[in-house]
Amino acid sequence: DHAPGLGEVTRIADGISWARIPMPGSLGHVNSWLLDDEGGLAAVDTGIQLRECSDAWKALFSGALSETRLTRIVCTHLHPDHIGLAGWLAKRFDTDIWMTRGEWLTARMLIADARDEVPEEAIVHQRGAGWEEDWIEQTRSKGWGRFGRMVFPMPVSYRRIVEGEVLEFGGHRWRVVIGSGHSPEHACLLNERSGVLVSGDQVLPRISSNVSSNITEPQADPLGEWLASIDRLLGLPADLLVCPAHGEPFRGLHVRLAALRDEHLSRLDALAAHLAAPRRAIDCFGQLFNRPIGPEHRDLATGEALAHLRRLERDGRAIRETVDGVWWFRAA
């Protein structure tokens, strides 16, 4: 299928249509999946609170959706390209936002954390990863709490969805399938009768979602959660039409999941070999990424490197030692 243009919607299977919301950055867009519902359509994922994204929705409301009501706003997970306009759409159509509790509460926490000064935990995290002092000063100068600027104010109440729950959308049944690692409690939606999986960022066709350690749960094992989620998703039918948050719909779920799993496992093996000499997280960028890491990607790369190092620790393949606030990892 060709991606729908501005103001357009493409029907792709029984019970589901496709709209694309353009946005800046390397991803360039987020897909919004429109599910047939009683009295209109349920929208899954929304774009960031940016003029470019809201203008795309306005084009839809004066174009393909001019006669359509949005009945509910479903968000797969908390990242701003997925929830940024959820509050705006919910207000416009006087409807509810549907999310898992883990995603909703984490989003509310990040939106509320609008302090100016950078928390000490963030500095400890960056210093531990091996950041230079001038990099850390750049963090201090940028301030904190940027998350909330990308998200339209959310309502106080929401509708919780849980693993295994079957949502009735019009005449269609969509089962909630939870994944983790990229975000705390990411919801995918499975329509077995139509053979469709709305996968959000849990399964993307061409890129691997960022899996990062962060200061909220510094001792967590997000990559372990991500790999366990892949194993669970491999229990779904292999021939589903997968509708991802970025890129085009595709078939071959099991092949893609195996490729994502194997890519991370081979990175872990290469990283374990790299730890023959003690390394900091920033010393592992060249081993993990196939491009140079500039200042704009340093945060994400650090989180991803720490997630891989954490997984090696949990597997008993690496040992961490702290020297003057810096974490050094070596092969066990």
Side-chain angles (χ1 to χ4, degrees), residues 46-51 53-55 57-58 73 75 78-95 97 99 104 107-108 110-112 146-157:
T46 69
I48 305 173
Q49 181 185 228
L50 281 175
R51 173 71 52 80
C53 296
S54 58
D55 281 353
W57 280 106
K58 288 171 184 172
I73 313 303
C75 299
L78 67 92
H79 294 145
D81 50 329
H82 299 262
I83 69 165
L85 289 173
W88 178 68
L89 291 171
K91 187 176 180 181
R92 184 180 179 117
F93 289 96
D94 188 25
T95 188
I97 295 173
M99 292 174 73
W104 171 263
R108 290 300 304 250
L110 290 170
I111 291 164
R146 293 190 299 279
F147 187 95
R149 292 174 217 161
M150 297 184 276
V151 179
F152 188 91
M154 301 280 270
V156 173
S157 309

Side-chain angles (χ1 to χ4, degrees), residues 23-84:
M23 62 182 198
S26 56
L27 290 171
H29 67 270
V30 65
N31 295 321
S32 188
W33 302 102
L34 304 171
L35 312 182
D36 293 1
D37 201 3
E38 200 73 46
L41 295 169
V44 183
D45 292 339
T46 69
I48 305 173
Q49 181 185 228
L50 281 175
R51 173 71 52 80
E52 188 176 352
C53 296
S54 58
D55 281 353
W57 280 106
K58 288 171 184 172
L60 285 165
F61 299 144
S62 61
L65 302 183
S66 60
E67 305 292 315
T68 307
R69 180 173 185 272
L70 294 187
T71 55
R72 36 189 155 179
I73 313 303
V74 183
C75 299
T76 57
H77 65 296
L78 67 92
H79 294 145
D81 50 329
H82 299 262
I83 69 165

Side-chain angles (χ1 to χ4, degrees), residues 196-208:
V196 175
L197 177 72
V198 176
S199 67
D201 280 352
Q202 199 68 36
V203 192
L204 297 174
R206 288 193 303 276
I207 57 172
S208 177

